[in-house]
Amino acid sequence: MKTVVVLGGAYAGARAVQILSKGLPEGWRIILVDRNTHINHVYVFPRLAVLPGHEHKGFVPFDKLLTPTRDRDLCLHALVRSVHSSYVVLDRSFPDRGILTSELHFDYLIYALGSRLPAPLDLWGSHPQSGNTLKDAEVLKPYTGTKQDGIAWLKAHQEVIKNSESILVVGGGALGIQFATDIYAIHPGKDITLLHSRHRLLPRFDEKMHTEILDTLIACNIQVILGERLDTRSVLEGRTKFNGRGQRVIKTLQGREVAADLILLCTGQKPNTHFLSEMDPRCVNPHDGLAHVLRTMQLGTLPTSHSTYSSECTTPATEEVETTPYPNIFVVGDAADAFGAIPAGHTAYYQGEVAARNILRLIRRSGLSQNKEENSTEEEPLEDYMPGLPAIKISLGLTKSAYQANGVVRTSDDGVPDLNAAAIWAYFGYEVEKDEDMYA
Ligand SMILES: Cc1cc2nc3c(=O)[nH]c(=O)nc-3n(C[C@H](O)[C@H](O)[C@H](O)COP(=O)(O)OP(=O)(O)OC[C@H]3O[C@@H](n4cnc5c(N)ncnc54)[C@H](O)[C@@H]3O)c2cc1C
């Protein structure tokens, strides 16, 4: 039995599994590994972490990704511990499912471990209380990646927000903007500040996005501080300063002090590529932590001058076809340096498709080369990934949103409380007819 292992089953990994599941020939199986029991639909997490009642909609079961007739395929709930050129190590074995040791050997690997979320949404890494001065919220048991744990985490977060009179959101990316505007919409009496290190919000998008969002923030009485960077020393454990009202006081590098009951650090999303750099440090750009990939989404090694490698330069300077010592490993989604593609669910999804289709091509090729008669037919080329134009839709409170697609910026005012979470369930194979279906 030959094996394609897919690490991470969210936007990139899930799509790859869907394609493989339909196209893999006899004698091949898919093993999907994820630390979560459900796909975490993180787009809606900022809303679900503030607005009660919809938490269950952010966790989509994996079970519709695999084709039921392919009974050798497996979905394993496990933590990845390390990655090697022909096997991965998990934190456990599954003897009842035929996986007798924690080592999982593969013929092809799709690495789709995404990125680590900033603290206020990092279900795996931080307590909802982090950044808070209030000490009376429920203490959660260790997080295990179940839907139940995720719902409890989001509910605890909602309580922390509800009980904080003043909130400082650090980081004016999509997450910070959504948090600030949702908190205003759901708890209008709170004193909210948004601190952003640059002068422009969402600088990778059209300036009209910045203007529209800034106007909305100001209309919501959110205090916006642009062009000032948080002095990270002022939020370090043990160095926290409090004012006479018991609020935490942080400093900017420019010397400004801002006090708040709750600080939401919406910065520092980091690609989960440490397993790759441990396997081979040449594969990961030390400047941004992204894995170097070929256009085919196969893992590559950085051009030899990588000590002076610039994060702007994602392709080798020469026109030569790049080769790789890891033709059987593909990296997709937030973990990959994908030729200027923005880190987004929709780009991850298409990269997952390209990787899966290329694996199917490679398998067909190896089948052909075993069959000498057919060997004379031309080799099917692998597909290159081409990123599209940057696109984004960002909610600005419960109904308003701003979006940019194909270079055009628009706003709309037809938003719904759960951000239409059911739509993503359909992408993952679940047809939702009523809200209760999303308790699955
Ligand atoms: C608040 C927010 C809103 C967003 N809104 C949008 C939007 O509207 N549109 C859009 O296109 N993009 C949006 N994005 C970006 C998008 O969510 C990411 O780009 C996308 O999640 C990347 O997908 P991925 O599959 O590469 O990785 P992830 O979604 O990060 O998935 C990685 C998977 O790997 C698993 N994993 C990680 N480490 C391990 C381990 N050690 N062992 C086992 N499993 C592991 C995780 O459990 C997870 O299932 C948003 C992001 C955030 C934070």
Side-chain angles (χ1 to χ4, degrees):
M1 180 61 59
K2 294 195 176 253
T3 304
V4 183
V5 169
V6 179
L7 300 182
Y11 305 90
R15 183 58 184 153
V17 166
Q18 286 173 327
I19 303 262
L20 290 169
S21 173
K22 293 204 171 67
L24 274 182
E26 271 300 302
W28 284 81
R29 66 174 174 178
I30 306 164
I31 302 186
L32 168 63
V33 179
D34 203 293
R35 62 186 174 176
N36 293 328
T37 58
H38 289 65
I39 302 164
N40 283 202
H41 178 30
V42 295
Y43 302 5
V44 295
F45 277 13
R47 172 69 51 84
L48 306 185
V50 184
L51 181 70
H54 303 279
E55 306 80 17
H56 57 288
K57 302 177 186 175
F59 303 92
V60 187
F62 284 111
D63 55 9
K64 296 277 195 275
L65 297 178
L66 297 167
T67 306
T69 47
R70 292 183 45 89
D71 53 5
R72 292 187 211 92
D73 296 340
L74 295 173
C75 176
L76 304 179
H77 179 211
L79 270 166
V80 177
R81 289 284 191 223
S82 63
V83 172
H84 308 266
S85 58
S86 62
Y87 67 97
V88 297
V89 179
L90 309 181
D91 67 339
R92 49 180 292 214
S93 58
F94 295 82
D96 53 326
R97 306 181 76 184
I99 310 290
L100 302 180
T101 74
S102 56
E103 269 181 27
L104 207 54
H105 287 256
F106 60 79
D107 295 280
Y108 290 101
L109 174 72
I110 296 188
Y111 186 102
L113 295 183
S115 54
R116 182 170 184 162
L117 291 174
L121 286 184
D122 185 7
L123 278 64
W124 274 94
S126 48
H127 192 275
Q129 277 274 50
S130 62
N132 192 10
T133 57
L134 308 165
K135 297 286 173 230
D136 54 357
E138 186 196 353
V139 174
L140 297 173
K141 62 183 173 56
Y143 195 75
T144 60
T146 63
K147 181 161 184 157
Q148 203 183 10
D149 282 358
I151 290 173
W153 197 100
L154 292 169
K155 284 185 173 170
H157 202 281
Q158 293 159 8
E159 279 301 297
V160 172
I161 303 254
K162 193 174 94 186
N163 296 330
S164 305
E165 283 311 309
S166 50
I167 298 172
L168 168 66
V169 179
V170 180
L175 172 60
I177 294 164
Q178 282 181 286
F179 255 135
T181 48
D182 274 356
I183 294 170
Y184 168 78
I186 295 153
H187 304 287
K190 296 195 189 300
D191 173 7
I192 309 166
T193 305
L194 179 72
L195 171 68
H196 185 51
S197 58
R198 305 172 86 144
H199 288 279
R200 194 157 137 193
L201 300 159
L202 304 186
R204 291 195 64 179
F205 295 90
D206 196 288
E207 192 165 0
K208 278 190 230 150
M209 286 292 280
H210 162 83
T211 317
E212 188 59 51
I213 294 165
L214 186 59
D215 288 350
T216 308
L217 293 168
I218 292 167
C220 296
N221 283 329
I222 295 168
Q223 199 201 338
V224 184
I225 305 169
L226 296 179
E228 291 196 35
R229 191 175 285 277
L230 173 75
D231 181 347
T232 47
R233 289 167 303 180
S234 67
V235 287
L236 284 180
E237 196 75 27
R239 298 185 66 159
T240 321
K241 201 172 135 188
F242 295 92
N243 66 12
R245 292 172 58 194
Q247 295 170 309
R248 278 177 73 166
V249 181
I250 63 96
K251 254 182 145 177
T252 67
L253 287 176
Q254 287 73 9
R256 184 199 297 254
E257 289 196 337
V258 185
D261 294 324
L262 175 66
I263 298 169
L264 298 176
L265 283 180
C266 298
T267 55
Q269 201 155 326
K270 289 204 179 67
N272 279 328
T273 49
H274 48 289
F275 298 125
L276 295 174
S277 49
E278 282 159 21
M279 177 183 85
D280 184 343
R282 297 173 303 164
C283 296
V284 177
N285 184 336
H287 299 292
D288 55 17
L290 292 169
H292 182 73
V293 289
L294 280 54
R295 286 266 177 196
T296 52
M297 302 312 294
Q298 283 160 305
L299 176 67
T301 52
L302 291 161
T304 40
S305 59
H306 88 269
S307 52
T308 54
Y309 191 81
S310 145
S311 56
E312 300 298 315
C313 165
T314 55
T315 44
T318 65
E319 289 295 310
E320 280 169 34
V321 177
E322 199 183 345
T323 55
T324 170
Y326 303 108
N328 59 336
I329 300 182
F330 291 73
V331 185
V332 286
D334 277 8
D337 186 354
F339 312 96
I342 55 165
H346 59 272
T347 52
Y349 181 91
Y350 292 119
Q351 290 164 25
E353 282 191 350
V354 170
R357 285 196 292 254
N358 279 339
I359 288 176
L360 296 177
R361 287 186 180 96
L362 288 167
I363 292 171
R364 279 197 292 272
R365 271 188 195 177
S366 62
L368 284 180
S369 62
Q370 278 164 20
N371 180 341
K372 287 200 179 109
E373 267 176 35
E374 287 181 76
N375 206 14
S376 56
T377 55
E378 220 170 272
E379 201 172 65
E380 190 182 6
L382 296 188
E383 179 181 345
D384 283 346
Y385 170 70
M386 297 291 173
L389 285 174
I392 191 170
K393 180 170 184 182
I394 180 165
S395 69
L396 300 171
L398 285 179
T399 56
K400 185 174 175 184
S401 59
Y403 57 96
Q404 179 175 333
N406 299 319
V408 180
V409 174
R410 294 200 203 288
T411 59
S412 64
D413 205 12
D414 56 359
V416 292
D418 70 358
L419 290 163
N420 198 14
I424 209 82
W425 283 60
Y427 272 99
F428 298 133
Y430 253 91
E431 289 307 327
V432 172
E433 282 169 15
K434 48 191 184 317
D435 272 10
E436 292 72 52
D437 295 343
M438 288 185 274
Y439 281 101

